[in-house]
Coordinates of all heavy atoms in Angstrom, one line a residue:
M1 N 11.0 12.9 13.1 CA 10.7 11.5 13.1 C 10.7 10.9 14.6 O 11.6 11.3 15.4 CB 11.6 10.7 12.3 CG 11.4 9.1 12.3 SD 12.2 8.4 11.0 CE 12.0 6.6 11.4
S2 N 9.7 10.2 14.9 CA 9.7 9.4 16.2 C 10.2 7.9 15.9 O 9.7 7.2 15.1 CB 8.4 9.4 16.8 OG 8.3 8.5 17.8
A3 N 11.3 7.6 16.6 CA 12.0 6.3 16.3 C 11.2 5.1 16.3 O 11.4 4.2 15.6 CB 13.2 6.2 17.2
D4 N 10.1 5.1 17.2 CA 9.4 3.9 17.3 C 8.0 4.0 16.8 O 7.0 3.2 17.0 CB 9.3 3.4 18.8 CG 8.8 4.5 19.8 OD1 8.4 5.5 19.1 OD2 8.6 4.3 20.9
C5 N 7.8 4.9 15.9 CA 6.5 5.2 15.2 C 6.4 4.4 13.8 O 7.2 4.6 12.9 CB 6.2 6.6 15.0 SG 4.7 7.0 14.2
L6 N 5.4 3.5 13.7 CA 5.2 2.9 12.4 C 5.1 3.7 11.3 O 5.7 3.5 10.3 CB 3.9 1.9 12.6 CG 3.4 1.2 11.4 CD1 4.4 0.2 11.0 CD2 2.1 0.6 11.7
F7 N 4.2 4.7 11.4 CA 4.0 5.6 10.3 C 5.2 6.4 9.9 O 5.4 6.9 8.6 CB 2.8 6.5 10.4 CG 1.4 5.7 10.4 CD1 0.2 6.2 10.6 CD2 1.5 4.3 10.0 CE1 -1.0 5.6 10.5 CE2 0.2 3.6 9.9 CZ -0.9 4.2 10.2
C8 N 6.0 6.9 10.9 CA 7.2 7.5 10.5 C 8.2 6.6 9.7 O 8.9 7.1 8.8 CB 7.9 8.2 11.8 SG 7.3 9.5 12.4
K9 N 8.2 5.3 10.1 CA 9.0 4.4 9.4 C 8.5 4.2 8.0 O 9.2 4.0 7.1 CB 9.0 3.1 9.9 CG 9.8 3.1 11.4 CD 9.7 1.8 12.2 CE 10.4 2.0 13.6 NZ 10.1 0.6 14.3
I10 N 7.0 4.2 7.8 CA 6.5 4.2 6.4 C 6.9 5.5 5.6 O 7.2 5.3 4.5 CB 5.0 4.0 6.5 CG1 4.7 2.5 6.9 CG2 4.3 4.2 5.2 CD1 3.3 2.3 7.2
A11 N 6.8 6.5 6.3 CA 7.2 7.8 5.5 C 8.8 7.8 5.1 O 9.1 8.3 4.1 CB 7.0 9.0 6.5
A12 N 9.6 7.2 5.9 CA 10.9 7.1 5.6 C 11.3 6.0 4.7 O 12.4 5.7 4.4 CB 11.7 6.9 6.9
K13 N 10.3 5.1 4.3 CA 10.3 3.8 3.4 C 11.2 2.8 4.0 O 11.9 2.0 3.4 CB 10.8 4.4 2.1 CG 9.8 5.4 1.4 CD 10.0 5.8 0.0 CE 9.0 6.7 -0.5 NZ 9.2 7.8 -1.3
K14 N 11.3 2.8 5.4 CA 11.9 1.8 6.2 C 10.8 0.5 6.2 O 11.4 -0.5 6.5 CB 12.3 2.2 7.5 CG 13.6 3.2 7.3 CD 13.9 3.8 8.7 CE 15.1 4.8 8.7 NZ 15.3 5.4 10.0
I15 N 9.6 0.8 6.1 CA 8.7 -0.2 6.0 C 8.0 -0.1 4.7 O 7.5 1.1 4.5 CB 7.8 -0.1 7.4 CG1 8.4 -0.7 8.5 CG2 6.4 -1.1 7.1 CD1 7.6 -0.4 9.7
P16 N 7.7 -1.2 3.9 CA 7.1 -0.9 2.6 C 5.7 -0.5 2.7 O 4.9 -1.0 3.5 CB 7.4 -2.2 1.9 CG 7.6 -3.2 3.0 CD 8.3 -2.5 4.2
S17 N 5.1 0.2 1.7 CA 3.7 0.6 1.7 C 3.4 1.0 0.3 O 4.4 1.4 -0.5 CB 3.3 1.7 2.7 OG 3.8 2.9 2.3
K18 N 2.1 1.0 -0.1 CA 1.8 1.6 -1.4 C 1.4 3.1 -1.3 O 0.3 3.5 -0.9 CB 0.7 0.9 -2.0 CG 1.0 -0.5 -2.3 CD -0.3 -1.4 -3.0 CE 0.2 -2.8 -3.3 NZ -0.9 -3.6 -3.7
I19 N 2.5 4.0 -1.5 CA 2.3 5.4 -1.4 C 1.6 5.9 -2.6 O 2.0 5.6 -3.8 CB 3.6 6.0 -1.1 CG1 4.1 5.8 0.3 CG2 3.6 7.7 -1.2 CD1 5.6 6.2 0.7
V20 N 0.6 6.7 -2.4 CA -0.3 7.2 -3.6 C 0.0 8.7 -3.8 O -0.4 9.4 -4.7 CB -1.7 6.9 -3.4 CG1 -2.2 5.4 -3.4 CG2 -2.4 7.5 -2.2
Y21 N 0.7 9.3 -2.8 CA 0.9 10.7 -2.8 C 1.9 11.2 -1.8 O 1.8 10.6 -0.8 CB -0.4 11.7 -2.6 CG -0.1 13.0 -2.6 CD1 0.1 13.8 -3.8 CD2 0.2 13.9 -1.5 CE1 0.3 15.1 -3.9 CE2 0.4 15.2 -1.5 CZ 0.5 15.8 -2.8 OH 0.9 17.1 -2.8
E22 N 2.8 12.0 -2.1 CA 3.7 12.5 -1.2 C 4.3 13.9 -1.6 O 4.4 14.1 -2.8 CB 4.8 11.5 -0.8 CG 5.8 11.1 -1.9 CD 6.7 10.2 -1.5 OE1 7.2 10.2 -0.3 OE2 7.2 9.3 -2.2
D23 N 4.5 14.8 -0.7 CA 5.2 16.0 -0.9 C 6.0 16.3 0.3 O 6.2 15.5 1.2 CB 4.3 17.1 -1.3 CG 3.3 17.5 -0.2 OD1 3.5 17.2 0.9 OD2 2.2 18.0 -0.8
D24 N 6.5 17.5 0.4 CA 7.3 17.8 1.5 C 6.6 17.8 2.9 O 7.2 17.6 4.0 CB 7.9 19.3 1.4 CG 8.9 19.4 0.3 OD1 9.4 18.3 -0.2 OD2 9.3 20.6 -0.2
D25 N 5.3 18.0 2.8 CA 4.6 18.1 4.2 C 3.7 16.9 4.5 O 3.3 16.6 5.7 CB 3.7 19.3 4.1 CG 4.5 20.6 3.9 OD1 5.5 20.8 4.6 OD2 4.1 21.4 3.0
V26 N 3.3 16.2 3.4 CA 2.3 15.1 3.5 C 2.5 13.8 2.8 O 3.3 13.9 1.8 CB 0.8 15.6 2.9 CG1 -0.1 14.5 2.9 CG2 0.4 16.8 3.8
F27 N 2.2 12.7 3.3 CA 2.2 11.4 2.6 C 1.1 10.7 2.9 O 0.4 10.8 3.8 CB 3.5 10.6 3.0 CG 3.5 10.2 4.5 CD1 3.2 8.8 4.7 CD2 3.8 10.9 5.4 CE1 3.2 8.2 6.0 CE2 3.9 10.4 6.7 CZ 3.5 9.2 7.0
A28 N 0.6 10.0 1.7 CA -0.7 9.2 1.9 C -0.4 7.8 1.1 O 0.4 7.5 0.2 CB -1.7 10.0 0.9
F29 N -0.9 6.7 1.8 CA -0.6 5.5 1.4 C -1.9 4.4 1.7 O -2.8 4.8 2.5 CB 0.6 4.9 2.1 CG 0.4 4.9 3.6 CD1 0.1 3.8 4.3 CD2 0.6 6.0 4.4 CE1 0.1 3.8 5.8 CE2 0.5 6.0 5.8 CZ 0.2 5.0 6.4
E30 N -1.9 3.3 0.9 CA -3.1 2.4 1.2 C -3.0 1.8 2.5 O -1.9 1.4 3.0 CB -3.1 1.5 0.0 CG -3.2 2.0 -1.4 CD -3.3 0.9 -2.5 OE1 -3.2 -0.3 -2.1 OE2 -3.3 1.3 -3.6
D31 N -4.1 1.7 3.0 CA -4.4 1.0 4.4 C -4.1 -0.5 4.3 O -4.6 -1.1 3.2 CB -5.6 1.3 5.1 CG -5.6 1.0 6.5 OD1 -5.7 -0.3 6.7 OD2 -5.9 1.8 7.3
I32 N -3.3 -1.1 5.2 CA -3.1 -2.5 5.0 C -4.3 -3.4 5.2 O -4.3 -4.7 4.7 CB -1.9 -2.9 6.0 CG1 -1.4 -4.2 5.5 CG2 -2.5 -3.1 7.4 CD1 -0.1 -4.6 6.3
G33 N -5.3 -2.8 5.9 CA -6.7 -3.6 6.1 C -7.8 -2.7 5.7 O -8.6 -2.2 6.4
P34 N -7.9 -2.6 4.3 CA -8.9 -1.7 3.8 C -10.3 -1.9 4.3 O -10.8 -3.1 4.2 CB -8.7 -1.7 2.3 CG -8.1 -3.0 2.2 CD -7.3 -3.4 3.2
Q35 N -11.0 -0.9 4.5 CA -12.5 -1.0 5.0 C -13.4 -0.5 3.9 O -14.6 -0.6 4.2 CB -12.8 -0.3 6.3 CG -11.8 -0.7 7.5 CD -12.0 -2.1 7.9 OE1 -13.2 -2.4 8.2 NE2 -11.1 -3.0 7.9
A36 N -12.9 -0.2 2.8 CA -13.6 0.0 1.6 C -12.9 -0.1 0.4 O -11.6 -0.2 0.6 CB -14.1 1.6 1.8
P37 N -13.5 -0.1 -0.9 CA -12.5 -0.3 -2.0 C -11.3 0.6 -2.0 O -10.3 0.5 -2.6 CB -13.5 0.0 -3.1 CG -14.9 -0.6 -2.5 CD -14.8 -0.1 -1.2
T38 N -11.6 1.9 -1.7 CA -10.5 2.9 -1.4 C -10.3 3.2 0.1 O -11.4 3.6 0.7 CB -10.7 4.3 -2.2 OG1 -10.9 3.9 -3.6 CG2 -9.6 5.2 -2.1
H39 N -9.2 3.0 0.6 CA -9.1 3.4 2.0 C -7.5 3.9 2.1 O -6.5 3.1 2.0 CB -9.2 2.1 2.8 CG -9.2 2.5 4.4 ND1 -9.6 1.6 5.3 CD2 -8.6 3.5 5.1 CE1 -9.4 2.1 6.6 NE2 -8.9 3.2 6.4
I40 N -7.4 5.2 2.2 CA -6.1 5.8 2.0 C -5.8 6.4 3.6 O -6.8 7.0 4.0 CB -6.1 7.0 1.0 CG1 -6.4 6.3 -0.3 CG2 -4.8 7.5 1.0 CD1 -5.5 5.3 -0.9
L41 N -4.7 6.3 4.1 CA -4.3 7.2 5.2 C -3.5 8.2 4.8 O -2.4 8.2 4.1 CB -3.4 6.2 6.1 CG -4.1 4.8 6.5 CD1 -3.2 3.9 7.4 CD2 -5.4 5.1 7.3
I42 N -3.9 9.5 5.2 CA -3.1 10.7 4.9 C -2.5 11.2 6.1 O -3.3 11.5 7.2 CB -4.2 11.7 4.3 CG1 -5.0 11.1 3.2 CG2 -3.6 13.0 3.9 CD1 -6.2 11.7 2.7
C43 N -1.2 11.4 6.1 CA -0.5 11.8 7.3 C 0.3 13.0 7.2 O 1.0 13.1 6.0 CB 0.4 10.6 7.7 SG -0.4 9.1 7.9
P44 N 0.5 13.8 8.0 CA 1.6 14.8 8.1 C 3.0 14.1 8.1 O 3.1 13.1 8.8 CB 1.3 15.6 9.3 CG 0.6 14.7 10.3 CD -0.1 13.7 9.5
R45 N 3.8 14.6 7.3 CA 5.3 14.0 7.5 C 5.8 14.2 8.8 O 6.6 13.3 9.4 CB 6.1 14.6 6.3 CG 7.4 13.8 6.0 CD 8.0 14.2 4.8 NE 7.4 13.9 3.6 CZ 7.6 12.7 3.0 NH1 8.2 11.8 3.5 NH2 6.9 12.6 1.8
K46 N 5.6 15.3 9.4 CA 6.1 15.6 10.7 C 5.2 14.7 11.7 O 4.2 14.5 11.5 CB 5.7 17.1 11.1 CG 6.1 17.5 12.5 CD 5.7 18.9 12.9 CE 5.9 19.3 14.1 NZ 5.4 20.8 14.5
H47 N 6.0 14.1 12.7 CA 5.3 13.2 13.6 C 4.4 14.0 14.5 O 4.8 14.9 15.2 CB 6.4 12.5 14.4 CG 5.6 11.5 15.5 ND1 5.2 10.3 15.2 CD2 5.3 11.8 16.7 CE1 4.6 9.8 16.3 NE2 4.6 10.7 17.2
V48 N 3.1 13.9 14.4 CA 2.1 14.7 15.1 C 1.3 13.3 15.8 O 0.6 12.6 15.0 CB 1.3 15.5 14.4 CG1 0.1 16.0 15.3 CG2 2.1 16.6 13.8
A49 N 1.2 13.1 17.1 CA 0.6 12.0 17.7 C -1.0 12.0 17.4 O -1.5 10.9 17.3 CB 0.9 11.9 19.1
S50 N -1.6 13.1 17.5 CA -3.0 13.2 17.4 C -3.4 14.5 17.0 O -2.7 15.5 17.0 CB -3.8 12.6 18.6 OG -3.7 13.6 19.6
L51 N -4.7 14.7 16.7 CA -5.4 16.1 16.4 C -5.1 17.1 17.6 O -4.9 18.3 17.2 CB -6.8 15.9 16.1 CG -7.4 17.0 15.4 CD1 -6.9 17.4 14.1 CD2 -9.0 16.8 15.3
D52 N -5.0 16.5 18.8 CA -4.6 17.5 19.9 C -3.3 18.3 19.6 O -3.2 19.3 20.2 CB -4.4 16.7 21.1 CG -5.8 16.0 21.7 OD1 -6.8 16.4 21.2 OD2 -5.7 15.0 22.4
E53 N -2.5 17.9 18.8 CA -1.2 18.3 18.5 C -1.0 19.2 17.0 O 0.1 19.5 16.7 CB -0.2 17.5 18.7 CG 0.0 16.9 20.1 CD 1.1 15.9 20.3 OE1 2.0 15.9 19.3 OE2 1.1 15.0 21.1
A54 N -2.2 19.2 16.4 CA -2.0 19.6 14.9 C -3.1 20.6 14.6 O -4.1 20.9 15.3 CB -2.2 18.3 14.1
G55 N -3.1 21.1 13.4 CA -4.0 21.9 12.8 C -4.3 22.0 11.3 O -4.7 22.9 10.7
T56 N -3.8 20.9 10.6 CA -3.8 20.8 9.3 C -4.5 19.5 8.9 O -4.4 18.5 9.6 CB -2.6 20.9 8.6 OG1 -1.6 19.8 9.1 CG2 -1.7 22.1 8.9
E57 N -5.1 19.4 7.7 CA -5.4 18.1 7.1 C -5.5 18.2 5.5 O -5.1 19.3 5.0 CB -6.9 17.8 7.6 CG -8.0 18.8 6.9 CD -9.3 18.4 7.4 OE1 -9.4 17.5 8.4 OE2 -10.3 18.8 6.9
D58 N -5.5 17.0 4.9 CA -5.5 17.1 3.6 C -6.5 15.9 3.0 O -6.8 15.1 3.7 CB -4.0 16.7 3.0 CG -3.8 17.0 1.6 OD1 -3.6 18.1 1.3 OD2 -3.5 16.1 0.9
Q59 N -6.8 16.0 1.7 CA -7.7 15.0 1.2 C -7.3 14.7 -0.3 O -7.0 15.8 -1.0 CB -9.2 15.2 1.5 CG -9.6 16.5 0.9 CD -10.4 16.3 -0.5 OE1 -10.3 15.3 -1.0 NE2 -10.8 17.5 -1.0
L60 N -7.7 13.6 -0.9 CA -7.4 13.3 -2.2 C -8.5 12.8 -3.1 O -8.4 12.2 -4.1 CB -6.4 12.0 -2.2 CG -5.0 12.2 -1.5 CD1 -4.3 10.9 -1.1 CD2 -4.1 13.1 -2.4
A61 N -9.7 13.2 -2.5 CA -11.0 12.6 -3.2 C -11.0 12.8 -4.7 O -11.3 12.1 -5.5 CB -12.3 13.1 -2.5
R62 N -10.7 14.2 -5.1 CA -10.8 14.5 -6.5 C -9.8 13.7 -7.3 O -10.1 13.2 -8.3 CB -10.6 16.1 -6.6 CG -10.7 16.6 -8.0 CD -10.4 18.2 -8.0 NE -11.2 18.8 -7.0 CZ -12.5 19.4 -7.4 NH1 -13.0 19.2 -8.4 NH2 -13.0 20.0 -6.2
K63 N -8.4 13.8 -6.8 CA -7.5 12.9 -7.6 C -7.9 11.5 -7.7 O -7.5 10.9 -8.8 CB -6.1 13.0 -6.8 CG -4.9 12.2 -7.4 CD -3.7 12.5 -6.7 CE -2.5 11.6 -7.4 NZ -1.2 11.8 -6.7
L64 N -8.5 10.9 -6.7 CA -9.0 9.4 -6.8 C -10.3 9.2 -7.4 O -10.7 8.1 -7.6 CB -8.9 8.7 -5.4 CG -7.5 8.7 -4.7 CD1 -7.7 8.4 -3.3 CD2 -6.6 7.9 -5.4
N65 N -10.9 10.3 -8.0 CA -12.1 10.3 -8.8 C -13.2 9.7 -8.0 O -14.1 9.0 -8.6 CB -11.8 9.5 -10.0 CG -12.7 10.0 -11.3 OD1 -12.9 11.2 -11.3 ND2 -13.0 8.9 -12.0
L66 N -13.3 10.1 -6.8 CA -14.4 9.6 -5.9 C -15.6 10.5 -6.0 O -16.0 11.2 -5.1 CB -14.1 9.5 -4.5 CG -12.8 8.5 -4.3 CD1 -12.4 8.6 -2.8 CD2 -13.1 7.1 -4.8
L67 N -16.3 10.5 -7.3 CA -17.3 11.5 -7.7 C -18.6 11.3 -7.0 O -19.4 12.1 -7.0 CB -17.4 11.4 -9.1 CG -16.1 11.8 -10.0 CD1 -16.5 11.8 -11.5 CD2 -15.5 13.3 -9.6
E68 N -18.8 10.0 -6.6 CA -20.0 9.6 -5.8 C -20.1 9.9 -4.4 O -21.0 9.7 -3.7 CB -20.4 8.1 -6.1 CG -20.6 7.8 -7.5 CD -21.6 8.5 -8.2 OE1 -22.8 8.6 -7.7 OE2 -21.5 8.9 -9.4
G69 N -19.0 10.5 -3.9 CA -18.9 10.9 -2.6 C -17.8 10.1 -1.8 O -17.4 9.0 -2.3
Y70 N -17.5 10.5 -0.7 CA -16.4 9.9 0.1 C -16.6 10.1 1.5 O -17.5 11.0 1.9 CB -15.1 10.2 -0.5 CG -14.9 11.7 -0.3 CD1 -14.3 12.2 0.9 CD2 -15.2 12.5 -1.3 CE1 -14.2 13.6 1.0 CE2 -15.0 14.0 -1.2 CZ -14.4 14.3 -0.1 OH -14.3 15.8 0.0
R71 N -16.0 9.5 2.4 CA -16.0 9.7 3.8 C -14.7 9.9 4.3 O -13.7 9.0 4.1 CB -16.8 8.6 4.6 CG -16.8 8.8 6.1 CD -17.8 7.8 6.7 NE -19.0 8.0 6.3 CZ -20.1 7.3 6.6 NH1 -19.9 6.2 7.4 NH2 -21.4 7.7 6.4
T72 N -14.4 10.9 5.2 CA -13.2 11.0 5.9 C -13.4 10.6 7.4 O -14.6 11.1 7.9 CB -12.6 12.4 5.7 OG1 -13.5 13.3 6.2 CG2 -12.1 12.6 4.2
V73 N -12.6 10.0 8.0 CA -12.8 9.5 9.4 C -11.4 9.8 10.1 O -10.3 9.6 9.6 CB -13.2 8.2 9.6 CG1 -13.2 7.8 11.0 CG2 -14.4 7.9 8.8
L74 N -11.5 10.5 11.2 CA -10.3 10.7 12.0 C -10.7 10.1 13.4 O -11.3 10.8 14.2 CB -9.9 12.1 12.1 CG -8.5 12.5 12.4 CD1 -8.1 13.9 12.0 CD2 -8.2 12.3 13.8
N75 N -10.0 8.9 13.7 CA -10.2 8.5 15.2 C -9.2 9.2 16.0 O -7.9 9.2 15.7 CB -9.8 7.0 15.0 CG -10.8 6.2 14.1 OD1 -11.9 6.6 14.1 ND2 -10.3 5.1 13.4
N76 N -9.7 9.8 17.0 CA -8.9 10.6 18.0 C -8.9 10.0 19.3 O -10.1 10.2 19.9 CB -9.2 12.1 17.9 CG -8.2 12.9 18.4 OD1 -7.2 13.2 17.9 ND2 -8.5 13.4 19.6
G77 N -7.8 9.4 19.8 CA -7.7 9.0 21.0 C -8.3 7.5 21.1 O -9.0 7.0 20.5
S78 N -7.8 6.8 22.2 CA -8.0 5.3 22.2 C -9.5 5.0 22.5 O -10.1 4.1 22.0 CB -7.3 4.7 23.5 OG -7.5 5.5 24.6
G79 N -10.2 6.0 23.0 CA -11.6 5.8 23.3 C -12.4 5.9 22.0 O -13.6 5.4 21.9
A80 N -12.0 6.4 21.0 CA -12.5 6.6 19.7 C -12.0 5.6 18.7 O -12.3 5.5 17.5 CB -12.4 8.0 19.1
G81 N -11.1 4.7 19.1 CA -10.6 3.5 18.2 C -9.1 3.8 17.7 O -8.8 3.2 16.8
Q82 N -8.5 5.0 18.1 CA -7.1 5.2 17.5 C -6.2 4.2 18.1 O -6.1 4.0 19.2 CB -6.9 6.7 17.9 CG -5.4 7.0 17.2 CD -5.0 8.3 17.4 OE1 -5.6 9.1 18.2 NE2 -3.8 8.9 16.9
S83 N -5.4 3.6 17.1 CA -4.6 2.6 17.5 C -3.0 2.8 17.2 O -2.1 2.4 17.8 CB -4.9 1.2 16.9 OG -4.8 1.2 15.5
V84 N -2.9 3.8 16.2 CA -1.5 4.3 15.8 C -1.5 5.7 16.1 O -2.3 6.6 15.6 CB -1.3 4.0 14.4 CG1 0.1 4.5 14.0 CG2 -1.3 2.4 14.1
F85 N -0.5 6.2 17.0 CA -0.5 7.5 17.5 C 0.5 8.4 16.7 O 1.3 9.0 17.2 CB -0.3 7.7 19.1 CG -1.5 7.2 19.7 CD1 -1.8 5.8 19.9 CD2 -2.5 8.2 20.2 CE1 -3.1 5.5 20.6 CE2 -3.7 7.8 20.7 CZ -4.0 6.4 21.0
H86 N 0.0 8.5 15.3 CA 0.6 9.5 14.4 C -0.5 9.9 13.7 O -1.2 9.1 12.9 CB 1.7 8.7 13.5 CG 2.2 9.7 12.4 ND1 3.6 9.6 12.1 CD2 1.6 10.6 11.6 CE1 3.8 10.6 11.1 NE2 2.6 11.1 10.9
L87 N -1.0 11.1 13.8 CA -2.3 11.8 13.2 C -2.4 11.2 11.8 O -1.6 11.4 11.0 CB -2.1 13.1 13.3 CG -3.4 14.0 12.8 CD1 -4.7 13.5 13.5 CD2 -3.1 15.3 12.6
H88 N -3.6 10.7 11.6 CA -3.8 10.3 10.2 C -5.4 10.3 10.0 O -6.2 10.0 10.8 CB -3.4 8.8 9.9 CG -3.8 7.8 10.9 ND1 -3.3 7.8 12.1 CD2 -4.7 6.9 10.8 CE1 -3.8 6.6 12.8 NE2 -4.7 6.1 12.0
L89 N -5.7 10.7 8.7 CA -7.1 10.8 8.3 C -7.3 9.7 7.4 O -6.7 9.5 6.4 CB -7.3 12.1 7.4 CG -8.8 12.6 7.1 CD1 -9.6 12.9 8.3 CD2 -8.6 13.8 6.2
H90 N -8.5 8.9 7.6 CA -9.0 7.8 6.7 C -9.7 8.5 5.6 O -10.8 9.3 5.9 CB -9.8 6.8 7.4 CG -9.0 6.1 8.4 ND1 -8.7 4.8 8.4 CD2 -8.5 6.5 9.7 CE1 -8.1 4.3 9.6 NE2 -8.0 5.5 10.3
L91 N -9.5 8.2 4.3 CA -10.3 8.6 3.2 C -10.9 7.2 2.5 O -10.1 6.4 2.1 CB -9.4 9.4 2.1 CG -10.2 9.7 0.9 CD1 -11.3 10.6 1.1 CD2 -9.1 10.4 0.0
L92 N -12.2 7.2 2.7 CA -12.9 6.0 2.2 C -13.8 6.3 1.0 O -14.6 7.4 1.1 CB -13.9 5.4 3.4 CG -13.1 5.1 4.7 CD1 -14.1 4.8 5.7 CD2 -12.1 4.0 4.5
G93 N -13.8 5.5 0.0 CA -14.7 5.8 -1.2 C -14.8 4.6 -1.9 O -14.2 3.5 -1.7
G94 N -15.8 4.7 -3.0 CA -16.0 3.5 -3.9 C -17.1 2.6 -3.6 O -17.5 1.6 -4.1
R95 N -17.8 3.0 -2.4 CA -19.1 2.3 -2.0 C -20.0 3.4 -1.4 O -19.7 4.5 -1.1 CB -18.9 1.2 -1.3 CG -18.2 1.4 0.1 CD -18.3 0.3 1.1 NE -17.5 0.4 2.4 CZ -18.2 1.0 3.4 NH1 -19.4 1.4 3.3 NH2 -17.4 1.1 4.6
A96 N -21.4 2.9 -1.3 CA -22.3 3.7 -0.4 C -22.0 3.7 1.1 O -21.5 2.6 1.5 CB -23.6 3.4 -0.8
F97 N -22.2 4.6 1.8 CA -21.9 4.8 3.2 C -23.3 4.9 3.9 O -24.1 5.8 3.4 CB -20.9 5.8 3.6 CG -19.6 5.6 3.0 CD1 -19.3 6.0 1.9 CD2 -18.8 4.8 3.8 CE1 -18.0 5.8 1.5 CE2 -17.5 4.4 3.4 CZ -17.1 5.0 2.0
R98 N -23.4 4.3 5.1 CA -24.6 4.6 6.0 C -24.2 5.6 7.1 O -23.1 5.8 7.4 CB -25.2 3.2 6.6 CG -25.8 2.3 5.5 CD -26.4 1.2 6.1 NE -25.5 0.3 6.7 CZ -25.8 -0.9 7.3 NH1 -27.0 -1.3 7.5 NH2 -24.8 -1.7 7.8
W99 N -25.2 6.2 7.6 CA -25.0 7.1 8.7 C -26.0 6.8 9.9 O -27.1 6.4 9.6 CB -25.2 8.6 8.2 CG -24.7 9.5 9.1 CD1 -25.6 10.2 10.0 CD2 -23.4 10.0 9.4 NE1 -24.8 11.2 10.8 CE2 -23.4 10.9 10.4 CE3 -22.1 9.6 8.8 CZ2 -22.2 11.6 10.9 CZ3 -21.1 10.3 9.4 CH2 -21.1 11.1 10.3
P100 N -25.7 6.9 11.1 CA -24.1 7.2 11.6 C -23.3 6.1 11.3 O -23.7 5.0 11.3 CB -24.3 7.7 12.9 CG -25.5 6.7 13.4 CD -26.5 6.7 12.2
P101 N -22.0 6.4 11.4 CA -21.0 5.3 11.2 C -21.0 4.4 12.6 O -21.3 5.0 13.6 CB -19.6 6.0 11.0 CG -19.8 7.2 11.5 CD -21.3 7.6 11.4
G102 N -20.5 3.2 12.5 CA -20.3 2.4 13.8 C -19.2 2.9 14.6 O -18.3 3.6 14.2
Ligands
5GP1 P1 -6.5 3.9 13.7 O1 -6.8 2.7 14.2 O2 -5.2 4.4 14.4 O3 -7.5 4.9 13.3 O4 -5.8 3.5 12.1 C1 -4.6 2.8 11.9 C2 -4.7 2.2 10.5 O5 -3.3 1.8 10.3 C3 -5.7 0.9 10.5 O6 -6.5 1.1 9.4 C4 -4.6 -0.3 9.9 O7 -5.2 -1.2 9.1 C5 -3.4 0.6 9.4 N1 -2.1 -0.1 9.6 C6 -1.5 -0.7 10.6 N2 -0.4 -1.1 10.3 C7 -0.2 -0.9 9.0 C8 1.0 -1.2 8.1 O8 2.0 -1.7 8.5 N3 0.9 -0.6 6.8 C9 -0.1 -0.1 6.4 N4 -0.2 0.3 5.0 N5 -1.3 0.2 7.2 C10 -1.2 -0.2 8.5
ZN2 ZN1 5.3 9.2 13.5

């Protein structure tokens, strides 16, 4: 755990969130500012600041019944819009998506 990391505090339940999945390695919770009807952040329980430091990912599309398709987005680095430096994958579903993303 990193003492000043928001998502480590969410994992430790020191900050409340709507957790939709968790196990020994991964936790997933609803984004506070959803960009789609379903917007889940999927994080390694281990504090990993960005993809530069990691090699794993996870997804919940089947469990969440996103049969019409879904989009995963991983903002990596400030130039790509990452604002919280605990590696996390956005899982967006429940609407149609255009390409390319903005
Ligand atoms: P990033 O900008 O790093 O790719 O994504 C960070 C995400 O964290 C944003 O979508 C933002 O809405 C979400 N977020 C920021 N603070 C909180 C919070 O306190 N609780 C929850 N559940 N999500 C948060
Ligand atoms: Zn962290």
